[in-house]
Amino acid sequence: MISLKVLTVTSIMSFLLVIVVGPVLIPVLHKFKFGQTVRDDGPQSHLKKNGTPTMGGLMIIISILLVSLIRVGFSNEILMALLCMFGFGLIGFLDDFIIIKRKRSLGLTPKQKIVLQVVLSFVLAYYRYVTIGDGTQFIVPFLNSGINIGIIYIPIVMVAIIGTVNAVNLTDGLDGLASGITAVVSVFFILFASVIANNFEISQMGAATLGACVGFLCFNVNPAKIFMGDTGSMALGGAVAAFALFTNTVLVIPIVGGIYFAEALSVMIQVGYYKRTKKRIFKMAPLHHHYEQSGWPETKVVFVFWIVAIVLAWIGIVAMF
């Protein structure tokens, strides 16, 4: 079991780094007019957020990257886990940069995004497949048994990684929502990596992610002074995917990350149903916007989703411990 003191120090280091970088980065983003372009088809109450600095995910990436390397070193596992976080964060950065450069609400095209995501997820899935060999590829929730499905592992993990990253990206729509939920999810993976898997690298990266998310909340709670943008949401999605990938707990993501997948499913259901019937099931998708349109204040939606995330993390603990 990995020391609680070690984990706490890692989280505090990451938290403080974000707190230090934030006041430096926000004015720079203001100066270069790296402001958010709010979707015209989103909630009208969000139009007042136009111009709020985005790409705040840079401080999250910097913190997780530096603190993880300082605490762990340059082992192959931490480098590949950080590649998952940094690589998807880089895709998000390109998306944000195009949005800002062209002053529109869409950056990379869907085709460009999926190609980049497929390439990166294949590299990660193939690496993990080779390193696991004949060992456990997946731990089955509630059964606490491991399975190995051979080379089919690669496409399944690719889908899981891409799905997780995009689900976290869709969750990032309200002040403090994605960062707060990811902080909760990180706690689950810290516990699993340190108590069950005895995986020092992932426990430290998880602690760094927790600290970075809590630090970012200091600038991102309503009313947000900065948004993480796709830079941050895709990096956090990559981090969560890395935690699961390198602890063989990919199958638990739909439980622990249930909010992420509820958000993604709401979009899929809405789009599919509308194409067939020209009617909507939700007042607006993703799911958090449905509750906003139903009259819930933004802060209430965020708080309730945080509570649900905590309950789901507890179910995940029951399922995996």
Side-chain angles (χ1 to χ4, degrees):
M1 181 174 175
I2 296 160
S3 166
L4 178 61
K5 180 179 179 180
V6 171
L7 294 168
T8 302
V9 169
T10 303
S11 289
I12 291 174
M13 286 175 63
S14 186
F15 170 81
L16 291 177
L17 186 54
V18 171
I19 293 298
V20 170
V21 171
V24 176
L25 182 63
I26 293 174
V28 171
L29 294 175
H30 267 299
K31 181 179 179 180
F32 289 98
K33 298 182 179 179
F34 282 7
Q36 175 80 14
T37 301
V38 177
R39 288 168 44 195
D40 296 330
D41 58 347
Q44 293 300 300
S45 61
H46 287 209
L47 294 177
K48 63 185 178 182
K49 299 182 180 185
N50 247 324
T52 301
T54 188
M55 294 171 70
L58 288 171
M59 66 177 82
I60 294 174
I61 292 173
I62 291 169
S63 180
I64 297 173
L65 195 63
L66 290 181
V67 173
S68 295
L69 290 175
I70 290 170
R71 299 294 282 171
V72 176
F74 292 82
S75 70
N76 289 338
E77 184 153 313
I78 194 63
L79 289 176
M80 292 303 292
L82 289 173
L83 173 64
C84 191
M85 182 276 297
F86 181 80
F88 284 106
L90 181 59
I91 295 171
F93 174 83
L94 292 173
D95 194 45
D96 285 336
F97 187 78
I98 293 171
I99 289 172
I100 293 164
K101 189 76 173 177
R102 299 185 180 179
K103 299 295 182 183
R104 66 187 193 190
S105 59
L106 293 175
L108 292 170
T109 65
K111 184 177 180 180
Q112 289 170 332
K113 276 187 181 180
I114 195 65
V115 168
L116 292 171
Q117 290 178 8
V118 166
V119 171
L120 180 55
S121 63
F122 174 78
V123 170
L124 293 160
Y126 181 76
Y127 171 82
R128 191 61 178 156
Y129 169 73
V130 171
T131 53
I132 287 175
D134 295 329
T136 295
Q137 293 175 333
F138 300 112
I139 298 173
V140 182
F142 296 105
L143 299 180
N144 291 325
S145 61
I147 59 173
N148 188 307
I149 57 175
I151 199 167
I152 301 174
Y153 173 85
I154 293 176
I156 290 177
V157 166
M158 287 175 65
V159 170
I161 292 172
I162 293 172
T164 300
V165 170
N166 287 297
V168 176
N169 183 234
L170 288 170
T171 304
D172 179 37
L174 301 179
D175 296 351
L177 183 59
S179 46
I181 290 172
T182 305
V184 174
V185 172
S186 296
V187 170
F188 167 83
F189 283 109
I190 292 167
L191 289 172
F192 186 85
S194 59
V195 177
I196 303 298
N198 197 31
N199 188 316
F200 182 72
E201 289 90 345
I202 296 303
S203 70
Q204 293 303 297
M205 184 177 168
T209 302
L210 171 61
C213 286
V214 175
F216 188 73
L217 279 172
C218 295
F219 306 102
N220 187 237
V221 289
N222 188 272
K225 297 177 182 177
I226 190 170
F227 299 138
M228 68 172 65
D230 283 3
T231 305
S233 61
M234 293 187 73
L236 289 180
V240 172
F243 300 155
L245 184 63
F246 289 95
T247 56
N248 304 327
T249 54
V250 170
L251 298 182
V252 83
I253 297 180
I255 299 174
V256 177
I259 291 291
Y260 301 144
F261 283 88
E263 298 273 28
L265 281 172
S266 70
V267 173
M268 294 166 64
I269 292 169
Q270 185 87 323
V271 171
Y273 189 75
Y274 185 79
K275 283 183 176 179
R276 293 187 63 181
T277 66
K278 299 303 178 184
K279 296 179 182 180
R280 293 177 173 86
I281 292 179
F282 303 102
K283 294 183 178 180
M284 187 176 288
L287 190 61
H288 54 260
H289 288 325
H290 169 78
Y291 287 104
E292 275 194 293
Q293 296 298 92
S294 298
W296 286 27
E298 181 175 347
T299 50
K300 179 180 178 180
V301 178
V302 172
F303 181 74
V304 170
F305 277 38
W306 283 0
I307 296 299
V308 173
I310 292 171
V311 172
L312 290 171
W314 183 252
I315 294 174
I317 290 172
V318 172
M320 300 300 288
F321 281 71

